Amino acid sequence: MLRALTAGEIRGRFDPLTGLMEHEAFVDRLERGATRSGKEGGEPFALLMLGLDDFTLINVEFGWAVGNQLLRSIGHRLALNLRPADVVSRGGGDRFCVMLDKLRASEDGLSVAERIVEFLDRPFEVAGQQVKISVSIGVVTTGPVYQSADKILENATTAMLAAKRERGNSIVVHGQEDSESALHTPFE
C-alpha cells in the first residue's frame, strides 16, 4: 500500500540546509549497497568522502549566511553533475558523501572524483560574491568481500584526511594512502 510521507518524515530524511539525503538515511543506503556488493557476483560501488578545504575561512571572511548558501550551492552542483542513480548526502559540517552505485570498473570512482574536483573548482556566485573553494576527496571502492557501512565510511574518512594533508583539490584512494600513486591532483 502506498502512502504519502508526512512533513516530519520528509524533514527526517533530508538535510534541512542542503535538501540532500540526511546522513542516517545515507548510511542505511550505504549498508544496503555493501550487502549487495558483498554477495557473489555483486556489483561494486564507490564511496567518495568530500571535505571542503579551509571552509572555516569562508565563514570568517563572508559570514555564516554566505557559508550556508555556499553549502547549498555545492550540494546543488553535486546533485546536478552526477548520475540519477548516485546518492549525495551532506555528512555534516563541510563534508559531503557520494555513493556511486553500480560501477562498471573499480577505477570509475577515481574518475568521478577527478570530475568533481573540476566542477567544484569553478567559482560560486553567493550573495553577490564570487567564492572559490577547493576540496579533498577520499575514495573507497567496494569489492566482493563484505564490509559494513561504518567500515567503508571510516576508510573513506581516512583517505579524505590524507588528501587534506596535501592542501587542496587532492584525491586519495583508500589502501594507497602511503604511496605516491595514491595522490591525484587534477590541476598539476
Coordinates of all heavy atoms in Angstrom, one line a residue, residues 27-91:
V27 N 23.5 6.4 5.4 CA 24.3 5.2 5.9 C 23.4 4.0 5.7 O 24.0 2.9 5.4 CB 24.6 5.5 7.4 CG1 25.2 4.2 8.1 CG2 25.6 6.6 7.5
D28 N 22.1 4.1 5.9 CA 21.2 2.9 5.6 C 21.4 2.5 4.2 O 21.5 1.3 3.9 CB 19.8 3.2 5.9 CG 19.5 3.4 7.4 OD1 20.3 2.9 8.2 OD2 18.4 3.9 7.7
R29 N 21.4 3.4 3.3 CA 21.5 3.1 1.8 C 22.9 2.5 1.6 O 23.0 1.6 0.8 CB 21.3 4.4 1.0 CG 21.5 4.3 -0.4 CD 20.2 3.8 -1.1 NE 20.3 3.9 -2.5 CZ 19.7 4.8 -3.3 NH1 19.0 5.8 -2.8 NH2 19.9 4.8 -4.6
L30 N 23.9 3.0 2.2 CA 25.3 2.5 2.1 C 25.3 1.1 2.6 O 26.0 0.2 1.9 CB 26.2 3.4 2.9 CG 27.7 3.2 2.7 CD1 28.2 3.4 1.3 CD2 28.5 4.1 3.7
E31 N 24.7 0.8 3.7 CA 24.7 -0.6 4.2 C 24.0 -1.6 3.2 O 24.5 -2.7 3.0 CB 24.0 -0.6 5.6 CG 24.1 -2.0 6.3 CD 25.5 -2.4 6.6 OE1 26.3 -1.6 7.2 OE2 25.9 -3.5 6.3
R32 N 22.9 -1.1 2.6 CA 22.2 -2.0 1.6 C 23.2 -2.2 0.5 O 23.2 -3.3 -0.1 CB 20.9 -1.4 1.2 CG 19.8 -1.4 2.3 CD 18.4 -1.1 1.7 NE 18.3 0.1 1.0 CZ 18.1 1.3 1.5 NH1 17.9 1.4 2.8 NH2 18.0 2.3 0.7
G33 N 23.9 -1.2 0.0 CA 24.8 -1.4 -1.1 C 26.0 -2.3 -0.7 O 26.4 -3.1 -1.6
A34 N 26.4 -2.2 0.5 CA 27.5 -3.0 1.0 C 27.1 -4.5 1.0 O 27.8 -5.4 0.6 CB 28.0 -2.6 2.3
T35 N 25.9 -4.7 1.4 CA 25.3 -6.1 1.4 C 25.2 -6.7 0.0 O 25.6 -7.8 -0.2 CB 24.0 -6.1 2.2 OG1 24.2 -5.6 3.5 CG2 23.4 -7.5 2.2
R36 N 24.7 -5.9 -0.9 CA 24.6 -6.3 -2.3 C 25.9 -6.6 -2.9 O 26.2 -7.5 -3.6 CB 23.9 -5.2 -3.1 CG 22.4 -5.3 -3.2 CD 21.8 -4.4 -4.3 NE 22.6 -3.2 -4.6 CZ 22.3 -2.0 -4.1 NH1 21.4 -1.8 -3.2 NH2 23.1 -1.0 -4.4
S37 N 26.9 -5.6 -2.7 CA 28.2 -5.7 -3.3 C 29.0 -6.9 -2.7 O 29.8 -7.5 -3.5 CB 29.0 -4.4 -3.0 OG 30.3 -4.5 -3.5
G38 N 28.7 -7.3 -1.5 CA 29.5 -8.4 -0.8 C 29.0 -9.8 -1.2 O 29.6 -10.7 -0.9
K39 N 27.9 -9.8 -1.9 CA 27.4 -11.1 -2.4 C 28.2 -11.6 -3.6 O 28.7 -10.7 -4.4 CB 25.9 -11.1 -2.7 CG 25.0 -10.8 -1.5 CD 23.6 -10.8 -1.8 CE 22.8 -10.6 -0.6 NZ 21.4 -10.4 -0.8
E40 N 28.2 -12.9 -3.9 CA 28.9 -13.4 -5.1 C 28.2 -12.8 -6.3 O 27.0 -12.8 -6.5 CB 28.7 -14.9 -5.1 CG 29.5 -15.5 -6.2 CD 29.5 -17.0 -6.2 OE1 29.4 -17.6 -5.1 OE2 29.6 -17.6 -7.3
G41 N 29.1 -12.2 -7.1 CA 28.6 -11.5 -8.4 C 28.0 -10.2 -8.1 O 27.4 -9.6 -9.0
G42 N 28.1 -9.7 -6.9 CA 27.6 -8.3 -6.5 C 28.3 -7.2 -7.3 O 29.5 -7.4 -7.6
E43 N 27.6 -6.2 -7.6 CA 28.2 -5.1 -8.3 C 28.9 -4.2 -7.3 O 28.4 -3.8 -6.3 CB 27.1 -4.3 -9.0 CG 26.4 -5.0 -10.1 CD 25.2 -4.3 -10.6 OE1 24.5 -3.5 -9.9 OE2 25.0 -4.4 -11.8
P44 N 30.2 -3.8 -7.7 CA 30.9 -2.9 -6.9 C 30.3 -1.4 -6.9 O 29.6 -1.1 -7.8 CB 32.3 -2.8 -7.5 CG 32.1 -3.2 -8.9 CD 30.9 -4.1 -8.9
F45 N 30.6 -0.7 -5.8 CA 30.2 0.7 -5.8 C 31.4 1.4 -5.1 O 32.3 0.8 -4.5 CB 28.9 0.9 -5.1 CG 28.9 0.7 -3.6 CD1 29.2 1.7 -2.7 CD2 28.6 -0.6 -3.1 CE1 29.2 1.5 -1.3 CE2 28.6 -0.8 -1.7 CZ 29.0 0.2 -0.8
A46 N 31.3 2.7 -5.2 CA 32.4 3.5 -4.5 C 31.7 4.5 -3.6 O 30.6 5.0 -3.8 CB 33.2 4.3 -5.6
L47 N 32.4 4.9 -2.5 CA 32.1 6.0 -1.7 C 33.1 7.0 -1.8 O 34.3 6.7 -1.7 CB 32.0 5.5 -0.2 CG 31.7 6.6 0.8 CD1 30.4 7.3 0.6 CD2 31.8 6.1 2.2
L48 N 32.7 8.2 -2.0 CA 33.6 9.4 -2.1 C 33.3 10.3 -0.9 O 32.1 10.6 -0.6 CB 33.4 10.2 -3.3 CG 33.4 9.5 -4.7 CD1 33.2 10.4 -5.8 CD2 34.7 8.7 -4.8
M49 N 34.3 10.5 -0.1 CA 34.1 11.4 1.1 C 34.8 12.8 0.7 O 36.0 12.8 0.5 CB 34.8 10.8 2.3 CG 34.7 11.7 3.6 SD 33.1 11.9 4.3 CE 32.9 10.3 5.0
L50 N 34.0 13.8 0.7 CA 34.5 15.1 0.3 C 34.6 16.0 1.5 O 33.6 16.1 2.2 CB 33.5 15.8 -0.7 CG 33.4 15.3 -2.2 CD1 32.9 13.9 -2.2 CD2 32.6 16.3 -3.0
G51 N 35.7 16.6 1.7 CA 35.9 17.6 2.7 C 36.3 18.9 2.1 O 37.3 19.0 1.3
L52 N 35.6 20.0 2.4 CA 35.9 21.3 1.8 C 37.1 21.8 2.5 O 37.2 21.8 3.8 CB 34.7 22.3 2.0 CG 33.4 21.8 1.3 CD1 32.3 22.8 1.6 CD2 33.6 21.5 -0.1
D53 N 38.1 22.3 1.8 CA 39.4 22.8 2.4 C 39.2 24.2 2.9 O 38.7 25.1 2.2 CB 40.5 22.8 1.3 CG 40.7 21.4 0.8 OD1 40.8 20.4 1.7 OD2 40.9 21.2 -0.4
D54 N 39.6 24.4 4.2 CA 39.6 25.8 4.8 C 38.2 26.4 4.8 O 38.1 27.7 4.6 CB 40.7 26.7 4.1 CG 42.1 26.1 4.3 OD1 42.4 25.5 5.4 OD2 42.8 26.1 3.3
F55 N 37.2 25.7 4.9 CA 35.8 26.2 4.9 C 35.6 27.2 6.0 O 34.8 28.2 5.8 CB 34.8 25.1 4.9 CG 33.4 25.6 4.7 CD1 32.9 26.0 3.5 CD2 32.5 25.7 5.8 CE1 31.6 26.5 3.3 CE2 31.2 26.2 5.7 CZ 30.8 26.6 4.4
T56 N 36.2 27.0 7.1 CA 36.1 28.0 8.2 C 36.4 29.4 7.8 O 35.8 30.4 8.2 CB 36.9 27.6 9.4 OG1 36.6 26.2 9.8 CG2 36.7 28.4 10.6
L57 N 37.4 29.5 6.9 CA 37.8 30.9 6.4 C 36.7 31.5 5.6 O 36.5 32.8 5.7 CB 39.1 30.8 5.6 CG 40.3 30.2 6.3 CD1 41.5 30.1 5.3 CD2 40.7 31.1 7.5
I58 N 35.8 30.8 4.9 CA 34.7 31.3 4.2 C 33.7 32.0 5.2 O 33.3 33.1 5.1 CB 34.0 30.2 3.4 CG1 34.9 29.6 2.4 CG2 32.7 30.8 2.8 CD1 35.2 30.4 1.2
N59 N 33.4 31.2 6.3 CA 32.5 31.7 7.4 C 33.1 33.0 8.0 O 32.4 33.9 8.3 CB 32.2 30.7 8.4 CG 31.3 29.6 7.9 OD1 30.5 29.9 7.1 ND2 31.4 28.4 8.5
V60 N 34.4 33.0 8.2 CA 35.1 34.2 8.9 C 35.0 35.4 7.9 O 34.7 36.5 8.3 CB 36.5 33.8 9.3 CG1 37.3 35.0 9.8 CG2 36.5 32.8 10.5
E61 N 35.4 35.1 6.7 CA 35.5 36.3 5.8 C 34.2 36.8 5.3 O 34.0 38.0 5.2 CB 36.4 35.8 4.5 CG 36.6 37.0 3.6 CD 37.6 36.6 2.4 OE1 38.3 35.6 2.6 OE2 37.6 37.3 1.4
F62 N 33.3 35.9 5.0 CA 32.0 36.3 4.4 C 30.8 36.2 5.3 O 29.7 36.7 5.0 CB 31.7 35.5 3.1 CG 32.7 35.6 2.0 CD1 33.6 34.6 1.8 CD2 32.8 36.8 1.3 CE1 34.6 34.7 0.8 CE2 33.7 36.9 0.3 CZ 34.6 35.9 0.0
G63 N 30.9 35.5 6.4 CA 29.8 35.3 7.4 C 29.1 33.9 7.2 O 29.2 33.3 6.1
W64 N 28.4 33.5 8.2 CA 27.7 32.2 8.3 C 26.7 32.1 7.2 O 26.5 31.1 6.6 CB 27.1 32.0 9.6 CG 28.1 31.7 10.7 CD1 28.7 32.6 11.5 CD2 28.7 30.4 11.0 NE1 29.7 31.9 12.3 CE2 29.6 30.6 12.0 CE3 28.5 29.1 10.5 CZ2 30.4 29.5 12.5 CZ3 29.2 28.1 11.0 CH2 30.1 28.3 12.0
A65 N 25.9 33.2 6.9 CA 24.9 33.1 5.9 C 25.4 32.8 4.5 O 24.9 32.0 3.8 CB 24.1 34.4 5.8
V66 N 26.6 33.4 4.2 CA 27.2 33.1 2.9 C 27.8 31.7 2.9 O 27.6 30.9 2.0 CB 28.3 34.1 2.6 CG1 29.2 33.7 1.4 CG2 27.7 35.5 2.3
G67 N 28.3 31.2 4.1 CA 28.8 29.9 4.2 C 27.7 28.9 4.0 O 27.9 27.9 3.3
N68 N 26.6 29.1 4.6 CA 25.4 28.2 4.4 C 24.9 28.2 3.0 O 24.6 27.1 2.4 CB 24.3 28.6 5.4 CG 24.6 28.2 6.8 OD1 25.4 27.4 7.1 ND2 23.8 28.8 7.7
Q69 N 24.9 29.4 2.4 CA 24.5 29.4 0.9 C 25.5 28.7 0.1 O 25.1 28.0 -0.9 CB 24.3 30.9 0.5 CG 23.9 31.0 -1.0 CD 22.5 30.3 -1.2 OE1 21.6 30.4 -0.5 NE2 22.5 29.5 -2.3
L70 N 26.7 28.8 0.4 CA 27.7 28.0 -0.4 C 27.5 26.5 -0.2 O 27.6 25.8 -1.2 CB 29.1 28.4 0.1 CG 30.3 27.7 -0.6 CD1 30.3 28.0 -2.1 CD2 31.6 28.2 0.0
L71 N 27.3 26.1 1.0 CA 27.0 24.6 1.2 C 25.8 24.2 0.4 O 25.8 23.1 -0.3 CB 26.7 24.3 2.7 CG 28.0 24.5 3.6 CD1 27.5 24.3 5.0 CD2 29.0 23.4 3.2
R72 N 24.7 25.0 0.3 CA 23.6 24.7 -0.5 C 24.0 24.6 -2.0 O 23.6 23.7 -2.7 CB 22.4 25.7 -0.3 CG 21.6 25.5 0.9 CD 20.4 26.4 1.0 NE 20.7 27.8 1.2 CZ 20.9 28.3 2.4 NH1 20.8 27.6 3.5 NH2 21.2 29.6 2.6
S73 N 24.8 25.6 -2.4 CA 25.2 25.6 -3.9 C 26.1 24.4 -4.2 O 26.0 23.9 -5.3 CB 25.9 26.9 -4.1 OG 25.1 28.0 -4.0
I74 N 26.9 24.0 -3.3 CA 27.8 22.9 -3.5 C 26.9 21.6 -3.7 O 27.1 20.8 -4.6 CB 28.9 22.7 -2.4 CG1 29.9 23.9 -2.5 CG2 29.5 21.4 -2.5 CD1 30.8 24.0 -1.3
G75 N 26.0 21.5 -2.7 CA 25.1 20.3 -2.8 C 24.3 20.3 -4.1 O 24.2 19.2 -4.7
H76 N 23.8 21.4 -4.5 CA 23.1 21.5 -5.8 C 24.0 21.2 -7.0 O 23.6 20.4 -7.8 CB 22.5 22.9 -5.9 CG 21.7 23.1 -7.1 ND1 20.4 22.6 -7.2 CD2 21.9 23.8 -8.3 CE1 19.9 22.9 -8.4 NE2 20.8 23.6 -9.1
R77 N 25.2 21.7 -7.0 CA 26.1 21.4 -8.1 C 26.5 19.9 -8.1 O 26.6 19.3 -9.2 CB 27.4 22.3 -8.0 CG 28.2 22.3 -9.3 CD 29.4 23.2 -9.2 NE 29.0 24.6 -9.4 CZ 29.9 25.6 -9.4 NH1 31.2 25.3 -9.2 NH2 29.5 26.8 -9.5
L78 N 26.7 19.3 -7.0 CA 27.0 17.9 -6.9 C 25.8 17.1 -7.5 O 26.0 16.2 -8.3 CB 27.2 17.4 -5.5 CG 28.6 17.8 -4.9 CD1 28.6 17.5 -3.4 CD2 29.7 16.9 -5.6
A79 N 24.6 17.4 -7.0 CA 23.4 16.6 -7.5 C 23.2 16.8 -9.0 O 22.8 15.8 -9.7 CB 22.2 17.1 -6.7
L80 N 23.5 18.0 -9.5 CA 23.3 18.2 -11.0 C 24.3 17.5 -11.8 O 24.1 17.2 -13.0 CB 23.4 19.7 -11.3 CG 22.2 20.5 -10.9 CD1 22.4 22.0 -11.3 CD2 20.9 20.0 -11.7
N81 N 25.5 17.2 -11.3 CA 26.6 16.7 -12.1 C 26.9 15.2 -11.9 O 27.9 14.7 -12.4 CB 27.9 17.5 -11.8 CG 27.9 18.8 -12.5 OD1 28.1 18.9 -13.7 ND2 27.5 19.9 -11.7
L82 N 26.0 14.5 -11.2 CA 26.2 13.1 -11.0 C 25.0 12.4 -11.7 O 24.0 13.0 -12.0 CB 26.2 12.8 -9.5 CG 27.5 13.3 -8.8 CD1 27.4 13.2 -7.3 CD2 28.8 12.7 -9.3
R83 N 25.1 11.0 -11.8 CA 24.1 10.2 -12.4 C 22.9 10.2 -11.4 O 23.0 10.3 -10.2 CB 24.6 8.8 -12.6 CG 25.7 8.7 -13.5 CD 26.2 7.2 -13.6 NE 26.5 6.7 -12.2 CZ 26.8 5.5 -11.9 NH1 26.9 4.6 -12.9 NH2 27.0 5.1 -10.7
P84 N 21.7 10.0 -12.0 CA 20.5 9.9 -11.1 C 20.6 8.7 -10.1 O 20.0 8.8 -9.0 CB 19.3 9.6 -12.1 CG 19.8 10.2 -13.4 CD 21.3 10.0 -13.4
A85 N 21.3 7.7 -10.4 CA 21.4 6.5 -9.5 C 22.4 6.8 -8.4 O 22.4 6.1 -7.4 CB 21.9 5.3 -10.3
D86 N 23.3 7.8 -8.5 CA 24.2 8.1 -7.5 C 23.5 8.9 -6.3 O 22.5 9.6 -6.6 CB 25.4 9.0 -8.0 CG 26.1 8.2 -9.1 OD1 26.2 7.0 -9.1 OD2 26.7 8.9 -10.0
V87 N 24.0 8.7 -5.1 CA 23.4 9.4 -4.0 C 24.3 10.3 -3.3 O 25.5 10.0 -3.1 CB 23.0 8.3 -2.9 CG1 22.3 8.9 -1.7 CG2 22.1 7.2 -3.6
V88 N 23.9 11.6 -3.0 CA 24.7 12.6 -2.4 C 24.0 12.9 -1.1 O 22.8 13.1 -0.9 CB 24.7 13.9 -3.3 CG1 25.6 14.9 -2.6 CG2 25.2 13.6 -4.7
S89 N 24.9 13.1 -0.1 CA 24.5 13.4 1.3 C 25.4 14.4 1.9 O 26.6 14.4 1.6 CB 24.5 12.1 2.2 OG 24.3 12.4 3.5
R90 N 24.9 15.3 2.7 CA 25.8 16.1 3.5 C 26.1 15.4 4.8 O 25.3 15.0 5.5 CB 25.1 17.5 3.8 CG 26.0 18.4 4.6 CD 25.6 19.8 4.6 NE 26.2 20.5 5.7 CZ 25.5 21.0 6.7 NH1 24.2 20.9 6.8 NH2 26.2 21.6 7.7
G91 N 27.4 15.1 4.9 CA 27.9 14.3 6.1 C 28.0 15.1 7.4 O 28.5 14.6 8.4

